[in-house]
Amino acid sequence: MRNNIVLILGSGPNAVQASQWGATPQDRHFDRIVAINNAWQIRADWDFLIHPEDFPPERRPGTLQPTQQIITADTYVAAQNALGGFVYAGGTMAFTAAYWALHTLAPKVLAFLGCDMVYPRSGPTHFYGTGTADPLRADVTLQHLPSKSARLALKAAQAGCHCVNLSRDPSQLLFPRASLSDLAALPDAPITLDQALVDRADKCETNLGYFVPSGRYWEDFDRLSAPALAKLDALWLQAYGAR
């Protein structure tokens, strides 16, 4: 496999759609599947399960296939740091999984499902029922989720990778919507970005100096300025809009 097309599978209600997609090598549509937290339950042919340190052991798979691997902080912190760190990327697992995949698998396409991060006031919030809306917690790195998705898309573009959303539901992700039939052509599609504006946002990150090598940025909240990070979010949003 070439790792050209990678599915990032979250736990949103629409993630169950993935259970109906082909699972044989000929019609799977993806070279790799990265499941986040509980999403490994949706289909048996996932390749990587990524979860945080506090993911309950009873929710983890009991056995693994030889081709399957679990990714934890021991691995994903270094990948995240290589692409700027958690403060700038946004400290929630949808973004962490994507940055890990971008850094480690070198994909040409990151396709997202179940990662919309839009939560209804009533009814199921996740495919398994009602869960905790982690991206909505009080966290200075998650003030504006669309801006964080813009940063991810631009970092991916710099690496020659498209980010697309397979969902048809309201979403915090700014990525273009795509269908399964679109995926095969995307690795060869051109990618454009405004490098000057990307450089401006990168320079802002450097000047802020909010890099936390351990990844445990919540232990360093006192030195993180919400207004400064909001201005940075606006720069990434501007750069994404100018592609």
Side-chain angles (χ1 to χ4, degrees), residues 32-54:
R32 292 288 188 269
I33 296 176
V34 180
I36 304 170
N37 296 341
N38 296 284
W40 65 271
Q41 301 173 40
I42 293 173
R43 50 188 295 158
D45 63 333
W46 56 269
D47 299 286
F48 304 97
L49 165 61
I50 185 167
H51 65 72
E53 296 170 301
D54 60 355

Side-chain angles (χ1 to χ4, degrees), residues 2-236:
R2 298 173 296 169
N3 296 335
N4 274 357
I5 302 174
V6 174
L7 173 64
I8 305 295
L9 186 60
S11 294
N14 61 20
V16 295
Q17 296 171 21
S19 66
Q20 302 172 17
W21 296 341
T24 65
Q26 292 76 23
D27 63 1
R28 189 166 93 145
H29 303 288
F30 311 101
D31 297 296
R32 292 288 188 269
I33 296 176
V34 180
I36 304 170
N37 296 341
N38 296 284
W40 65 271
Q41 301 173 40
I42 293 173
R43 50 188 295 158
D45 63 333
W46 56 269
D47 299 286
F48 304 97
L49 165 61
I50 185 167
H51 65 72
E53 296 170 301
D54 60 355
F55 187 59
E58 63 272 17
R59 294 188 181 180
R60 304 173 190 179
T63 59
L64 300 179
Q65 297 300 317
T67 57
Q68 293 176 328
Q69 184 178 350
I70 295 180
I71 307 301
T72 60
D74 290 343
T75 301
Y76 66 66
V77 169
Q80 186 90 354
N81 285 346
L83 291 166
F86 289 85
V87 174
Y88 302 137
T92 195
M93 288 306 297
F95 296 134
T96 296
Y99 279 106
W100 173 82
L102 181 62
H103 180 262
T104 307
L105 303 179
K108 291 296 184 182
V109 178
L110 286 175
F112 293 75
L113 184 69
C115 299
D116 291 315
M117 295 180 280
V118 174
Y119 302 93
R121 294 184 178 181
S122 62
T125 59
H126 296 69
F127 76 88
Y128 51 83
T130 300
T132 301
D134 179 73
L136 299 188
R137 72 188 188 279
D139 188 316
V140 72
T141 77
L142 299 172
Q143 296 179 93
H144 193 252
L145 294 170
S147 299
K148 298 304 185 187
S149 76
R151 183 189 190 273
L152 171 59
L154 291 167
K155 291 294 181 181
Q158 288 182 303
C161 175
H162 297 267
C163 289
V164 296
N165 191 358
L166 298 174
S167 165
R168 289 291 177 265
D169 296 327
S171 184
Q172 298 279 11
L173 302 178
L174 296 182
F175 314 143
R177 306 285 181 151
S179 63
L180 291 178
S181 60
D182 297 326
L183 296 179
L186 280 175
D188 298 319
I191 297 177
T192 60
L193 72 161
D194 189 316
Q195 189 62 54
L197 288 178
V198 171
D199 290 344
R200 183 181 175 195
D202 280 332
K203 184 177 180 180
C204 181
E205 291 186 355
T206 300
N207 290 341
L208 286 175
Y210 292 164
F211 181 68
V212 183
S214 69
R216 303 177 71 84
Y217 65 91
W218 54 90
E219 297 176 352
D220 221 4
F221 268 149
D222 289 347
R223 74 181 184 96
L224 305 182
S225 165
L229 287 172
K231 290 180 180 178
L232 174 62
D233 283 345
L235 289 177
W236 283 116

